[in-house]
C-alpha cells in the first residue's frame, strides 16, 4: 500500500555550523512573517477602507487612486511576493537536490524587497514633492536590486547541470525572469511618474506591470509548486512534458500582453494592438484550463495525504476552482474585446485580478503553507483532530472572493456606489481569514521553537557526561 506523503521537517543533509547559518533552512520565517504583516496591516486594511471611503463618502477624492495603487503593491509584492520568495528558497533545495546558490543574496533580498514596498507605501499617499519623488524612485531601485538578487539565487540553484528540478525548474526560472521584468518596468514607471511630478502611475501604463506581476510571477510560481506537489498527493505520474510546454505558453501569453499594454500605454492607439492585447488576455482562459488538467487536482488516482492533512486539500481544490473562474472570465472578456478591437474594460481586468489575487493566490498560499511548512506539521502532531481553522479560513476566503469578484462583474448593471459595499465586506472577511492564519502560524512557530530548544537541551545534557 502507498505510504501517506511525509512532509520533510528539516533542510538538506548535514552541514557545518557556518554553512548551516547560511544554507540550512534559508530565512523563510522572515519572509512569511513580513508577508503576513503587509497583508494584515496594509493590504487588506486598505481593501476595507478604500471601498468604505466611497460608500460612506469620506471625501478621499484624488487620494483614492494613490491608496488603491499602494494596496495593489502591498498585496502583490508585499503579501504574495514575499511569501512566494520565502517558499521558493525553502523548496528549491528539496526538489532540485542542490543546495541554495548564493545564500547571502537570498538573505539580502528580504530587507531590500521589504524596504522597497515600505518606501512605496509611504511615497504613494504622500502627495507630490521632492521627498515623495525621492522615496518613489528609491523604492523602484531597491525593488530592482531585490529582484536581481532573487533571480540570481534561483538561476544559480536551478540552472546547474546537477539540478533535478525538471518542469518545476522551468516555472520557477520563468517566474524569476518575470520578477526581474516587473521590477524593471516598475522602476521605469516610477521614474516617469517622478519626472512628471505625479503621485500615481497612470493606470493605462500600469496595466502591463500588474499583468506581469499577477500572471508572469504569481500564477507561474503557483503552477510550478502545484505541478510537483499535487501529482504526488494524488498518485498521478508527474506531467513533465505537458508542464514544461504550459510554462512556455504562459510565458509567451504574458509577454505578448505586456508588450502590447506598454505600447498602448506609451500613447499608440491602433485596433490591431488592442486586438493583440485582448487576445493575449483571452489566452489565459485555455492556459488556466490546461493548468488545472495538468496538475490533476480534480482527477486523483489515489489519496496519498496523511489522515491529519486531508482537510487542507480543500483549500487547494478551492484555489483551482477559482482558477477555472479566472480562466472563464478572461476568455469571455478577452474574446469580446478582441472581436470589437476595443480596450478590455477596467471592471473586467479588476474581476480577473481579484479572482486570482484572493480566490487563487491567497487560498493557495494558506493551503500549501498548512500542507508543507514544518510549523503546521508539528501542530498536526499536537492537535491531530483540529479542523476548524482550515475550514473557517476556507469559508472566509471563498466568501471574500465571491463578494469582491461579484461586485466587479456586476459593474455594468450596477452603477451606483452601493456596489462598493460587497467589496468592503469581502475585505473584512479576507482580513479575518489572514488574521486567523497569521495567529496560527505565529503560535505554531513559537511552539516549534520551544520543542526544538527542549530537544537540543536534552541532547546537550545527554552528550555532556559522555564528553566529560
Ligand atoms: C477582499 C479583498 C480585497 C478587496 C476588497 C480589494 C479591493 C480593491 C479595490 C477597491 C481596488 C481599486 C479598484 C478600482 O480602481 O476601482 C483594488 C485594486 C487592486 N487590488 Fe485589490 N482588493 C482585495 C484583495 C486583493 C488581493 C488579495 C490582491 C493581490 C494579491 C489585490 C490586488 C489588487 C491590485 C493589483 C489592484 C490594482 C491597483 C492599481 O490600480 O494599481 N487585491 N482592490
Amino acid at each position: 500500500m502507498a505510504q501517506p506523503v511525509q512532509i520533510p521537517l528539516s533542510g538538506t543533509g548535514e552541514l557545518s555550523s557556518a554553512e548551516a547559518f547560511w544554507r540550512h533552512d534559508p530565512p523563510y520565517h522572515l519572509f512569511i512573517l513580513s508577508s503576513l504583516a503587509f497583508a494584515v496591516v496594509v493590504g487588506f486594511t486598505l481593501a476595507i477602507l478604500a471601498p468604505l471611503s466611497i460608500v460612506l463618502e469620506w471625501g478621499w477624492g484624488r487620494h483614492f487612486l494613490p491608496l488603491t495603487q499602494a494596496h495593489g503593491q502591498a498585496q502583490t509584492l508585499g503579501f504574495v511576493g514575499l511569501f512566494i520568495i520565502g517558499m521558493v528558497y525553502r523548496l528549491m533545495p528539496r526538489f532540485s537536490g542542490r543546495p541554495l546558490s548564493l545564500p547571502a543574496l537570498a538573505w539580502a533580498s528580504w530587507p531590500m524587497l521589504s524596504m522597497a514596498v515600505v518606501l512605496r507605501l509611504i511615497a504613494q499617499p504622500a502627495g507630490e514633492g521632492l521627498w515623495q519623488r525621492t522615496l518613489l524612485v528609491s523604492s523602484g531601485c531597491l525593488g530592482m536590486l531585490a529582484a536581481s538578487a532573487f533571480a540570481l539565487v534561483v538561476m544559480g540553484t536551478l540552472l546547474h547541470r546537477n539540478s533535478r528540478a525538471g518542469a518545476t525548474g522551468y516555472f520557477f526560472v520563468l517566474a524569476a525572469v518575470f520578477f526581474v521584468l516587473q521590477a524593471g518596468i516598475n522602476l521605469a514607471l516610477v521614474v516617469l511618474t517622478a519626472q512628471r511630478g505625479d503621485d500615481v502611475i497612470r493606470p493605462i501604463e500600469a496595466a502591463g506591470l500588474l499583468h506581469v506581476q499577477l500572471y508572469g510571477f504569481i500564477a507561474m510560481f503557483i503552477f510550478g509548486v502545484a505541478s510537483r506537489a499535487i501529482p504526488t498527493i494524488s498518485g498521478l505520474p508527474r506531467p513533465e512534458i505537458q508542464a514544461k510546454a504550459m510554462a512556455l505558453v504562459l510565458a509567451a501569453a504574458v509577454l505578448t500582453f505586456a508588450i502590447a499594454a506598454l505600447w498602448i500605454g506609451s500613447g499608440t492607439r491602433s485596433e490591431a494592438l488592442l486586438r493583440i492585447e485582448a487576445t493575449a488576455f483571452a489566452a489565459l482562459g485555455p492556459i488556466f484550463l490546461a493548468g488545472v488538467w495538468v496538475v490533476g487536482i480534480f482527477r486523483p488516482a489515489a489519496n496519498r495525504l496523511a489522515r491529519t492533512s486531508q482537510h487542507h486539500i480543500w483549500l487547494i481544490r478551492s484555489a483551482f476552482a477559482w482558477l477555472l473562474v479566472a480562466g472563464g472570465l478572461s476568455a469571455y472578456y478577452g474574446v469580446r474585446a478582441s472581436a470589437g478591437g476595443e480596450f478590455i474594460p477596467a471592471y473586467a481586468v479588476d474581476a480577473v485580478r481579484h479572482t486570482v489575487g484572493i480566490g487563487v493566490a491567497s487560498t493557495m498560499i494558506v493551503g500549501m503553507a498548512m500542507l508543507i511548512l514544518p510549523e503546521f506539521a508539528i501542530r498536526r502532531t499536537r492537535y491531530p483532530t483540529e479542523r476548524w481553522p482550515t475550514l473557517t479560513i476556507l469559508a472566509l476566503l471563498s466568501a471574500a472572493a465571491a463578494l469582491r469578484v461579484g461586485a466587479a462583474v456586476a459593474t455594468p448593471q450596477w452603477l451606483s456606489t452601493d456596489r462598493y459595499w460587497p467589496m468592503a465586506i469581502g475585505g473584512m472577511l479576507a482580513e479575518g481569514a489572514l488574521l486567523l492564519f497569521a495567529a496560527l502560524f505565529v503560535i505554531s512557530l513559537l511552539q516549534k521553537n520551544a520543542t526544538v530548544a527542549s530537544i537540543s537541551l536534552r541532547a546537550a545534557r545527554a552528550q555532556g557526561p559522555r564528553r566529560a
Side-chain angles (χ1 to χ4, degrees):
M1 201 183 76
Q3 291 295 309
V5 173
Q6 294 297 315
I7 316 285
L9 297 185
S10 62
T12 46
E14 292 297 315
L15 299 165
S16 75
S17 59
E19 269 181 321
F21 176 75
W22 290 109
R23 290 197 191 278
H24 198 78
D25 271 349
Y28 74 94
H29 297 113
L30 286 180
F31 282 90
I32 293 179
L33 287 170
S34 37
S35 140
L36 294 174
F38 276 119
V40 167
V41 179
V42 189
F44 286 104
T45 304
L46 282 175
I48 301 170
L49 297 180
L52 280 184
S53 76
I54 292 189
V55 274
L56 298 179
E57 298 177 13
W58 289 346
W60 277 15
R62 57 184 292 275
H63 296 298
F64 181 80
L65 193 52
L67 284 165
T68 50
Q69 280 194 354
H71 151 81
Q73 292 308 295
Q75 297 290 59
T76 50
L77 294 184
F79 167 40
V80 184
L82 280 165
F83 201 101
I84 287 181
I85 293 177
M87 292 300 270
V88 167
Y89 291 155
R90 182 172 166 79
L91 293 175
M92 275 194 306
R94 285 166 171 75
F95 66 71
S96 68
R98 298 257 320 126
L100 204 63
S101 281
L102 307 167
L105 281 186
W107 281 82
S109 62
W110 172 70
M112 289 193 294
L113 184 57
S114 305
M115 267 323 278
V117 181
V118 169
L119 292 185
R120 176 73 183 263
L121 295 178
I122 301 172
Q124 195 92 51
E128 298 142 22
L130 184 61
W131 268 110
Q132 181 261 3
R133 274 179 266 154
T134 313
L135 290 177
L136 206 54
V137 174
S138 312
S139 140
C141 293
L142 272 174
M144 190 66 211
L145 288 175
S148 310
F150 169 63
L152 284 172
V153 177
V154 172
M155 289 183 191
T157 310
L158 298 183
L159 296 183
H160 193 277
R161 64 183 181 288
N162 294 338
S163 163
R164 299 192 307 262
T168 315
Y170 274 51
F171 283 109
F172 278 29
V173 168
L174 286 168
V177 170
F178 277 114
F179 199 65
V180 174
L181 182 64
Q182 67 78 29
I185 299 173
N186 181 58
L187 180 57
L189 291 179
V190 292
V191 169
L192 201 62
T193 305
Q195 275 175 348
R196 288 174 183 150
D198 288 349
D199 57 353
V200 285
I201 296 178
R202 293 184 185 166
I204 193 163
E205 291 169 355
L209 168 69
L210 295 174
H211 199 83
V212 172
Q213 289 177 337
L214 277 158
Y215 312 112
F217 172 59
I218 296 177
M220 189 73 81
F221 164 81
I222 289 176
F223 281 125
V225 172
S227 61
R228 186 124 192 149
I230 293 172
T232 313
I233 292 169
S234 311
L236 295 166
R238 216 183 284 145
E240 282 293 303
I241 295 173
Q242 301 94 315
K244 283 178 187 171
M246 223 205 93
L248 295 173
V249 174
L250 176 60
V254 173
L255 205 57
T256 308
F257 182 98
I259 293 170
L262 289 171
W263 206 331
I264 293 168
S266 73
T268 312
R269 298 283 180 278
S270 89
E271 212 178 286
L273 212 47
L274 290 174
R275 280 190 209 280
I276 292 172
E277 185 191 49
T279 308
F281 192 74
L284 292 178
I287 294 174
F288 288 170
L289 185 65
V292 174
W293 174 260
V294 166
V295 301
I297 183 79
F298 296 123
R299 49 182 184 95
N303 183 350
R304 297 260 176 83
L305 272 178
R307 199 173 41 82
T308 49
S309 299
Q310 297 282 337
H311 53 297
H312 298 321
I313 199 70
W314 282 104
L315 284 163
I316 313 293
R317 284 191 189 130
S318 169
F320 277 91
W322 281 111
L323 194 69
L324 288 175
V325 175
L329 290 175
S330 53
Y332 170 68
Y333 291 131
V335 167
R336 216 180 50 176
S338 175
E342 303 154 355
F343 277 104
I344 310 160
Y347 70 84
V349 176
D350 182 64
V352 180
R353 236 174 232 168
H354 284 91
T355 312
V356 171
I358 312 164
V360 182
S362 306
T363 314
M364 186 77 180
I365 278 179
V366 174
M368 271 297 163
M370 286 184 152
L371 274 174
I372 66 181
L373 285 182
E375 288 70 21
F376 290 107
I378 291 176
R379 186 173 182 87
R380 278 195 293 278
T381 59
R382 282 178 169 239
Y383 311 104
T385 57
E386 187 180 73
R387 302 272 181 282
W388 70 266
T390 308
L391 300 180
T392 309
I393 291 172
L394 175 63
L396 290 173
L397 283 179
S398 308
L403 287 168
R404 178 64 185 84
V405 175
V409 170
T411 301
Q413 288 79 35
W414 192 6
L415 293 174
S416 87
T417 55
D418 279 352
R419 73 174 189 284
Y420 283 89
W421 273 120
M423 293 195 201
I425 296 167
M428 290 172 204
L429 299 179
E431 177 85 281
L434 263 293
L435 275 170
L436 176 55
F437 175 71
L440 283 177
F441 180 72
V442 172
I443 293 168
S444 308
L445 179 63
L446 295 175
Q447 286 174 342
K448 183 190 127 188
N449 290 347
T451 311
V452 171
S454 87
I455 292 171
S456 313
L457 192 65
R458 262 185 277 146
R461 279 203 191 121
Q463 275 190 350
R466 252 186 275 150
R467 277 211 186 126

